[in-house]
């Protein structure tokens, strides 16, 4: 099988897509022939068969050099370059799938809504409609997305670290969120409102909430203003984005990873925290609630501040379970979310699509 992945991988280390796509390619190239086009033309020395992109790129030329792709995989939606390449796939009768990475969810479609409505009408509705299949990352993402004719579900993966969290605090619990500072999508306002209702209890127990991430369109300043207005400056702190060794150290000093998103595809941050053996408090909007519940790996809440507050209260009253829940989450990641496991699942789905297409 020859698989061609096409993506826009830039230099932002905090993007889930930037981290996930190369690992999809690397995992699959151990099993099949995999080609990769990054429209940003940023080489990755770990990936074989990288094809340089230009606006005149022709799939027929790729066929002559590497062989005809059996399937093409587009990562994300809103890149006009993808629509041109998708048209070539149609002309050459090569099936293509789209991995929207959360981009088709109702919440995501509301972001820059007018711009997306115009773009969808002019370019992207046809691109989506003519895809042979849509690859969703979770059942929840599929359920919360606009309807399409054909789809399948396979998760993102995670590189499992060789160490895990030990020694949890039963008092002075440290809650941590690491990700983009996007108040709307990430539900950071819901988190703050929930913490505000429990402020006296949290201060008495000397718990803390730490938020790490890159600023998104001025959200950091607005978030700090909300923290000040809610009188949470002693409890909640906001820090710049972290990565690498610094991120690893922060996670290993975390007692509960918290993410209260309104909408997601499959957030890498939660998977990474689970891989380190950290219990997670998440909303249903993260699309990982079912996984957390099925493995008893933390707490799952509805996507509103009252439900989040109740879950935080439960964490405080049941802190002796942190190690047990963290261990359960790590086991789940090892068994179900390693990149080699994900590669086998996705290639199996590609094979079904190719057989049905013919």
């Amino acid at each position: 099988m020859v698989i061609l992945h096409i993506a826009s991988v830039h230099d932002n280390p905090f993007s889930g897509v930037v981290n996930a796509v190369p690992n999809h390619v690397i995992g699959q190239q151990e099993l099949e022939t995999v080609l990769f086009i990054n429209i940003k033309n940023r080489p990755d020395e770990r990936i074989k068969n990288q094809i340089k992109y230009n606006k005149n790129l022709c799939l027929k030329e790729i066929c002559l050099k590497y062989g005809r792709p059996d399937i093409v995989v587009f990562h994300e939606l809103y890149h006009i370059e993808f629509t041109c390449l998708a048209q070539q796939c149609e002309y050459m009768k090569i099936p293509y799938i789209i991995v929207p990475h959360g981009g088709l969810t109702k919440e995501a479609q509301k972001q820059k809504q007018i711009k997306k409505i115009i773009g969808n009408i002019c370019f992207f509705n046809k691109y989506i409609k003519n895809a042979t299949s849509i690859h969703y990352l979770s059942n929840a993402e599929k359920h919360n997305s606009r309807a399409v004719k054909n789809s399948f579900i396979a998760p993102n993966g995670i590189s499992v670290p060789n160490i895990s969290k030990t020694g949890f605090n039963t008092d002075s619990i440290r809650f941590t969120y690491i990700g983009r500072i996007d108040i709307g999508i990430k539900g950071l306002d819901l988190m703050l409102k929930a913490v505000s209702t429990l402020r006296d209890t949290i201060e008495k127990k000397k718990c803390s909430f730490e938020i790490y991430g890159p600023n998104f369109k001025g959200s950091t300043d607005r978030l700090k203003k909300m923290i000040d207005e809610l009188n949470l400056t002693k409890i909640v702190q906001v820090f710049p984005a972290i990565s690498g060794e610094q991120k690893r150290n922060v996670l290993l000093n975390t007692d509960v990873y918290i993410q209260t998103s309104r909408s997601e595809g499959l957030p890498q941050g939660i998977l990474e925290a689970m891989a380190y053996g950290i219990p997670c408090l998440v909303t249903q909007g993260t699309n990982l609630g079912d996984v957390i519940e099925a493995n008893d790996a933390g707490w799952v809440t509805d996507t509103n501040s009252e439900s989040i507050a109740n879950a935080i209260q439960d964490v405080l009253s049941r802190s002796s379970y942190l190690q047990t829940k963290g261990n359960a989450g790590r086991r789940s990641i090892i068994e179900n979310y390693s990149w080699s496991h994900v590669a086998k699942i996705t290639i199996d789905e590609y094979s079904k699509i190719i057989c049905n297409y013919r």
Side-chain angles (χ1 to χ4, degrees):
M1 184 190 303
V2 179
I3 305 163
L4 171 59
H5 284 268
I6 303 174
S8 177
V9 178
H10 44 78
D11 59 353
N12 178 5
F14 310 107
S15 164
V17 173
V18 168
N19 288 303
V21 172
N23 282 301
H24 269 295
V25 174
I26 292 164
Q28 290 180 8
Q29 71 186 11
E30 297 300 317
L31 303 172
E32 301 288 348
T33 299
V34 182
L35 316 178
F36 182 53
I37 297 173
N38 178 8
I39 65 171
K40 296 296 185 183
N41 283 326
R42 297 184 64 85
D44 188 325
E45 62 183 15
R46 300 170 299 168
I47 297 175
K48 307 170 189 174
N49 301 325
Q50 297 180 70
I51 301 167
K52 190 172 182 179
Y53 174 78
N54 66 73
K55 63 181 181 180
N56 298 315
L57 183 67
C58 178
L59 289 185
K60 287 185 178 179
E61 296 175 2
I62 293 173
C63 292
L64 291 173
K65 185 173 182 179
Y66 297 96
R68 177 187 172 90
D70 293 291
I71 193 165
V72 175
V73 183
F74 291 97
H75 292 271
E76 293 187 292
L77 295 173
Y78 294 107
H79 300 285
I80 197 70
E81 298 91 340
F82 292 2
T83 64
C84 300
L85 292 167
Q87 287 177 352
Q88 293 186 48
C89 289
E90 291 178 63
Y91 178 77
M92 297 177 66
K93 300 190 183 308
I94 298 172
Y96 74 86
I97 69 173
I98 300 172
V99 191
H101 293 277
L104 277 177
T105 62
K106 297 178 179 69
E107 287 293 335
Q109 287 290 304
K110 290 177 184 176
Q111 302 295 310
K112 301 180 182 178
Q113 190 171 24
I114 301 301
K115 186 177 180 181
K116 283 181 178 175
I117 288 172
I118 295 170
N120 286 343
I121 292 171
C122 294
F123 302 104
F124 297 104
N125 281 341
K126 182 180 179 182
Y127 164 59
I128 296 165
K129 179 182 177 182
N130 291 344
T132 313
S133 188
I134 302 295
H135 171 181
Y136 292 115
L137 301 174
S138 68
N139 280 302
E141 183 192 3
K142 178 179 178 178
H143 176 75
N144 292 323
S145 295
R146 54 186 275 193
V148 295
K149 185 171 60 175
N150 297 309
S151 65
F152 67 92
I153 298 166
N156 271 338
I158 192 75
S159 299
V160 181
N162 57 11
I163 58 171
S164 61
K165 166 77 175 177
T166 57
F168 288 84
N169 295 311
T170 52
D171 283 316
S172 304
I173 295 171
R174 179 180 290 180
F175 294 79
T176 302
Y177 163 77
I178 302 173
R180 189 173 74 247
I181 307 297
D182 181 343
I183 295 172
I185 289 291
K186 301 299 183 180
L188 297 174
D189 55 329
L190 302 178
M191 184 195 303
L192 294 185
K193 289 174 185 176
V195 172
S196 178
T197 64
L198 299 171
R199 183 175 62 242
D200 292 342
T201 301
I202 290 171
E203 284 189 350
K204 184 177 180 181
K205 288 183 173 289
K206 297 181 180 180
C207 299
S208 63
F209 288 75
E210 297 180 356
I211 298 171
Y212 296 84
N215 184 24
F216 179 75
K217 297 185 177 179
S219 282
T220 297
D221 288 340
R222 288 190 285 121
L223 189 67
K224 289 179 177 178
K225 184 179 180 181
M226 290 177 64
I227 291 169
D228 187 54
E229 289 173 346
L230 291 169
N231 193 24
L232 297 176
T233 53
K234 293 181 181 179
I235 299 172
V236 183
Q237 291 182 287
V238 181
F239 299 93
I242 53 174
S243 61
E245 191 73 11
Q246 187 180 11
K247 182 179 181 181
R248 171 182 170 275
N249 291 337
V250 166
L251 284 170
L252 289 173
N253 282 291
T254 293
D255 297 302
V256 177
Y257 188 87
I258 181 168
Q259 187 156 337
T260 55
S261 303
R262 289 181 168 88
S263 174
E264 292 282 357
L266 194 72
Q268 291 288 107
I270 297 172
L271 296 179
E272 188 170 4
M274 291 173 68
Y276 275 104
I278 301 164
C280 298
L281 190 162
V282 305
T283 52
Q284 293 288 359
T286 62
N287 285 337
L288 277 169
D290 290 348
V291 174
I292 300 292
E293 283 185 334
N295 293 280
D296 195 20
W299 289 260
V300 182
T301 84
D302 293 331
T303 310
N304 62 68
S305 58
E306 182 179 358
S307 183
I308 295 166
N310 290 337
I312 293 172
Q313 182 68 67
D314 198 48
V315 172
L316 301 183
S317 63
R318 301 176 66 211
S319 57
S320 60
Y321 289 89
L322 293 177
Q323 182 79 66
T324 301
K325 288 179 178 290
N327 289 343
R330 181 172 165 86
R331 282 196 302 272
S332 171
I333 294 296
I334 292 170
E335 293 170 2
N336 300 297
Y337 291 92
S338 66
W339 281 113
S340 59
H341 180 74
V342 169
K344 292 175 183 176
I345 293 172
T346 50
I347 287 174
D348 193 41
E349 293 291 343
Y350 298 168
S351 297
K352 294 175 188 175
I353 290 169
I354 293 165
C355 287
N356 291 333
Y357 188 82
R358 290 171 178 166

